[in-house]
Amino acid sequence: MANNYFQFKQFRIIQEGAAMKVGTDGVLLGAWTPLKGAVRVLDVGTGTGLLALILAQREGGLKITALELDPSAVVQARTNVAASPWSDRIAVVEADFRSFARETTERFDLLICNPPYFQSGPTAACAARALARHAHELSPLDLLDGAARVLAPGGALALVLPALQWPDFERAALQRGWVLKQQLVVHPTPHKKATRILGCWGREAGAFLSEDLVLESGGRHVYSPEYLALTREFYLFA
């Protein structure tokens, strides 16, 4: 049985009632996302509050709005935020992103999202897990169009996707005028194909940076120096 919490160096994620537990994708996205110039951040689909807490630890000046649709996840995220050192800088809001994007007058410097995956195939037996893992409630187009409405000029959209879904998302983003600024291509081992891609998108043309990251370089749970360097401020083992 999985632990009902995940301990990081500076905070703890209680996840007993969470549909989606702490995973590599979320930690990588939170640790990697560029924060230069960001003050107002919108975390879409915060779940346990993981991304919001990682970003708050990384940068002391951030003001973070963490959106979550599932009421039980909202309770979990608020509990985790309240127990953290950064509760005064994170507001957990129960809301559907599509409605929020249409109604809010606030503009954000960064929108970060570990979005629903698995847009086809059988849904999860647990309704909350299905909501967290399927794109029935938040499609890639919803995310792109909503981000375009809520981001301030010069703002960025950061997300992580399975490598197999990346080409379709990239095509849709480019068609809607988004520009890929930075990406991290994640390989499980040195000789395996990429399984995840992290991307940071903007609306203005500029320089592009692409890097590769290997998770395990010396066998099971023998992590690469690059992965340890990226996550050392968070994981206990890094």
Side-chain angles (χ1 to χ4, degrees):
M1 179 181 296
N3 287 337
N4 68 351
Y5 69 89
F6 193 103
Q7 185 66 50
F8 290 91
K9 287 182 177 177
Q10 295 191 39
F11 62 93
R12 174 179 288 189
I13 293 290
I14 304 296
Q15 55 183 2
E16 184 175 16
M20 298 301 294
K21 310 299 185 186
V22 170
T24 301
D25 287 359
V27 177
L28 275 177
L29 181 62
W32 172 83
T33 295
L35 297 180
K36 184 178 180 180
V39 175
R40 298 156 299 171
V41 177
L42 181 63
D43 173 15
V44 175
T46 195
T48 60
L50 174 65
L51 284 175
L53 289 164
I54 289 177
L55 295 189
Q57 178 183 325
R58 285 182 57 194
E59 179 53 62
L62 296 183
K63 297 291 186 180
I64 303 168
T65 300
L67 289 189
E68 177 54 52
L69 180 60
D70 176 32
S72 62
V74 170
V75 172
Q76 194 94 90
R78 286 175 176 164
T79 298
N80 290 328
V81 167
S84 79
W86 314 290
S87 59
D88 60 330
R89 297 196 284 114
I90 303 172
V92 180
V93 177
E94 184 176 343
D96 169 49
F97 174 61
R98 294 168 299 183
S99 299
F100 180 88
R102 289 192 298 267
E103 297 167 3
T104 186
T105 58
E106 188 171 2
R107 293 297 175 260
F108 298 89
D109 306 304
L110 171 67
L111 188 158
I112 191 168
C113 183
N114 184 359
Y117 299 154
F118 313 117
Q119 297 177 56
S120 61
T123 58
C126 169
R129 188 171 175 82
L131 181 63
R133 297 190 65 170
H134 288 259
H136 304 319
E137 293 297 326
L138 180 66
S139 73
L141 300 188
D142 290 334
L143 182 60
L144 289 166
D145 294 343
R149 284 193 290 270
V150 303
L151 285 175
L157 164 63
L159 78 164
V160 54
L161 284 173
L164 290 176
Q165 291 185 17
W166 183 262
D168 289 340
F169 182 88
E170 184 175 37
R171 189 177 305 110
L174 294 174
Q175 289 173 349
R176 281 162 174 73
W178 289 90
V179 178
L180 184 58
K181 301 286 193 175
Q182 193 169 334
Q183 72 175 14
L184 184 70
V185 181
V186 181
H187 303 259
T189 65
H191 304 297
K192 288 187 177 180
K193 293 181 179 180
T195 54
R196 293 288 187 265
I197 298 180
L198 286 66
C200 186
W201 297 80
R203 305 290 283 176
E204 302 168 356
F208 170 64
L209 174 65
S210 180
E211 298 177 293
D212 286 78
L213 178 74
V214 172
L215 297 181
E216 297 177 339
S217 59
R220 185 66 172 160
H221 299 311
V222 181
Y223 300 108
S224 72
E226 294 77 17
Y227 178 54
L228 293 174
L230 183 59
T231 59
R232 69 161 56 101
E233 297 302 318
F234 310 103
Y235 282 137
L236 293 177
F237 61 78

